[in-house]
Amino acid sequence: MKHQINRLPFLLMALVSLLVFNTSCKKDDALVVDVSFTADKSTVASGEKVTFSIGHGADLSSIYTGDAGHDFLKSRINLVELQSYTEEQLRSNIFGERIENLQEFLVSIPTLDAIPSDYSFDGDMALYDGKLVPWDFSDVTNSRYIQLTLNGSTPQTLSFRPNNAVIPTMLDYNNNKLRQLGALRNVANNTFAPFASFPSGFSASSSSNGITTKFGIQVIIDGQVSAVRYYTVPVRELLDNLNFNIDGLINDFQASFPDVDMTKGIEEIRWIFNADDPEATDDDGTLLAYAGNVYIQEMRIGSADNVVKGFDRGVSIPYVHEGTAQTIEHTYNAAGTYTVTLVSSFIGRKKYSDDGYRTNRPDEISAEEYDIKRTFKEITITVTE
């Protein structure tokens, strides 16, 4: 006799599992609640503490106290999320608040219609459009370049004016000083960084070691000419950022010309190819190694990330449990009127699509996968002398 199996329990279990799965993957919006925000006083004397109280309800909260470095109007939330400035706009004069006296330099050759009149080279120089090597089947290098032709038997110099660039070392700005000034990036960039290719003599099967050659860098500041600093590096057919650190060159210049006003900037820079150091007995002509064409796509001195100030930051508030509040004390040391902003963030469940999974998940997780809402509250604090 056949036994009949009661399928009802199994069907019920499957239904419950389906309901749980659907519930866990539904697209819940962030739940926004009113978060209380008060101050124990609105008028204080300079040096006097103000105590702020923040209520519960937010997943994350932060306070922008309104003084230097903590101005909500200069925060990333305001400039990027609310006003939709791009990173390029934030680094340029469209918005970017700049650190006084620093000045980076960047020229992108593909944007030029002609070689600038202040560029000179003791050899053949022209604009070149095309690929750098015939085996570039993907057209990755198909662009516009300044083309220089080196004879490989004598040093040759490219000279140009870099818009009076002033890099951190010229003002004795180290990483700590840039941090104090609020630089977007506080690692001092003191490099002359040409992005260039040296393809002559290479083939698709050439060694990856490159050709060892010597370069020289020289600067003119306030009419004074520096000594030449020498750099020995390998070059290849690949476009590469050569990154000449000119920190030592500038330090030597300042020692030789202590009265020069460094804020006037670099009025001219000289890039010497196949350089021959007269004080080095082992390279008398032996490093005049590269002959053929050089293709320059970009030249940069310093970095905009050192020059542009970073976003102002708020003070993160520890999570506030229901029925409690968090207090934050802050002291204003200068007279004025300050707008204090509380930013409360509410985070919903993850927004799934399809089956809820993606490849390369660790590389792709971002805040955009979650529903995030924010509320803003302000308190005005008046500080007297």
Side-chain angles (χ1 to χ4, degrees):
M1 176 178 172
K2 262 187 181 177
H3 294 283
Q4 289 190 339
I5 298 175
N6 186 351
R7 293 182 173 83
L8 181 60
F10 297 99
L11 292 173
L12 288 174
M13 289 176 63
L15 180 59
V16 169
S17 298
L18 182 60
L19 288 172
V20 170
F21 179 80
N22 285 341
T23 300
S24 65
C25 293
K26 69 181 182 179
K27 298 180 180 179
D28 290 347
D29 292 333
L31 178 62
V32 177
V33 300
D34 183 46
V35 177
S36 63
F37 181 41
T38 60
D40 65 338
K41 55 184 78 73
S42 59
T43 301
V44 295
S46 177
E48 185 180 354
K49 289 182 179 178
V50 180
T51 301
F52 300 100
S53 178
I54 302 95
H56 77 277
D59 294 304
L60 300 166
S61 292
S62 59
I63 284 182
Y64 293 82
T65 50
D67 45 355
H70 307 289
D71 184 350
F72 176 71
L73 295 180
K74 299 177 182 178
S75 71
R76 189 184 191 283
I77 291 176
N78 178 55
L79 294 171
V80 176
E81 292 187 21
L82 302 185
Q83 299 194 43
S84 300
Y85 282 107
T86 65
E87 291 294 329
E88 181 61 30
Q89 288 172 322
L90 292 173
R91 283 168 166 77
S92 70
N93 288 326
I94 297 175
F95 168 76
E97 184 178 356
R98 301 175 69 83
I99 294 174
E100 189 176 6
N101 293 325
L102 286 178
Q103 175 65 51
E104 82 286 5
F105 171 78
L106 171 65
V107 59
S108 177
I109 310 306
T111 65
L112 301 181
D113 294 323
I115 296 175
S117 59
D118 61 1
Y119 282 48
S120 65
F121 180 65
D122 50 1
D124 292 335
M125 177 171 59
L127 279 183
Y128 168 80
D129 289 277
K131 297 191 296 187
L132 297 182
V133 290
W135 58 90
D136 176 14
F137 301 110
S138 62
D139 277 350
V140 170
T141 64
N142 196 358
S143 184
R144 172 169 291 180
Y145 305 88
I146 288 179
Q147 174 185 295
L148 308 177
T149 302
L150 304 185
N151 56 40
S153 59
T154 58
Q156 291 171 270
T157 301
L158 173 67
S159 173
F160 63 96
R161 294 182 176 273
N163 197 29
N164 297 109
V166 180
I167 55 179
T169 191
M170 295 171 67
L171 304 180
D172 297 325
Y173 286 175
N174 57 20
N175 296 356
N176 289 333
K177 181 63 176 180
L178 289 173
R179 185 179 296 108
Q180 294 170 11
L181 294 171
L184 186 62
R185 179 172 170 79
N186 56 47
V187 177
N189 185 314
N190 296 308
T191 61
F192 164 47
F195 195 51
S197 167
F198 296 71
S200 296
F202 286 93
S203 68
S205 59
S206 292
S207 167
S208 61
N209 294 328
I211 298 173
T212 300
T213 189
K214 179 166 280 191
F215 298 92
I217 307 295
Q218 190 175 39
V219 298
I220 299 177
I221 303 172
D222 197 19
Q224 302 293 339
V225 183
S226 77
V228 178
R229 175 149 299 217
Y230 295 93
Y231 305 80
T232 302
V233 296
V235 296
R236 286 196 60 196
E237 80 282 13
L238 301 176
L239 275 167
D240 193 14
N241 197 330
L242 297 184
N243 276 335
F244 300 112
N245 188 336
I246 60 174
D247 178 67
L249 169 63
I250 296 299
N251 290 338
D252 291 346
F253 179 91
Q254 289 177 306
S256 300
F257 305 101
D259 296 328
V260 164
D261 181 2
M262 301 300 281
T263 63
K264 291 185 176 181
I266 301 172
E267 61 186 78
E268 183 180 338
I269 188 164
R270 296 168 181 172
W271 182 15
I272 306 169
F273 298 83
N274 289 329
D276 191 0
D277 183 354
E279 296 183 5
T281 59
D282 62 345
D283 79 336
D284 187 18
T286 60
L287 290 182
L288 301 176
Y290 184 84
N293 292 329
V294 177
Y295 297 93
I296 305 168
Q297 189 179 59
E298 179 181 288
M299 287 192 289
R300 181 190 298 268
I301 299 176
S303 169
D305 288 353
N306 284 165
V307 175
V308 177
K309 291 186 177 181
F311 299 114
D312 278 17
R313 297 176 178 271
V315 177
S316 296
I317 308 301
Y319 183 77
V320 184
H321 296 277
E322 186 174 355
T324 66
Q326 287 282 355
T327 57
I328 297 293
E329 293 183 339
H330 187 71
T331 301
Y332 293 90
N333 296 313
T337 301
Y338 301 92
T339 299
V340 185
T341 305
L342 172 70
V343 180
S344 299
S345 302
F346 307 87
I347 304 172
R349 297 191 180 194
K350 184 184 180 303
K351 296 183 287 186
Y352 288 90
S353 61
D354 301 324
D355 61 358
Y357 293 94
R358 295 183 188 174
T359 58
N360 301 320
R361 291 290 300 148
D363 300 324
E364 297 178 3
I365 295 173
S366 70
E368 295 178 356
E369 297 181 11
Y370 296 84
D371 183 53
I372 299 177
K373 291 184 172 64
R374 302 191 197 275
T375 61
F376 308 91
K377 286 191 173 181
E378 294 181 348
I379 294 175
T380 299
I381 301 295
T382 302
V383 181
T384 61
E385 293 288 353

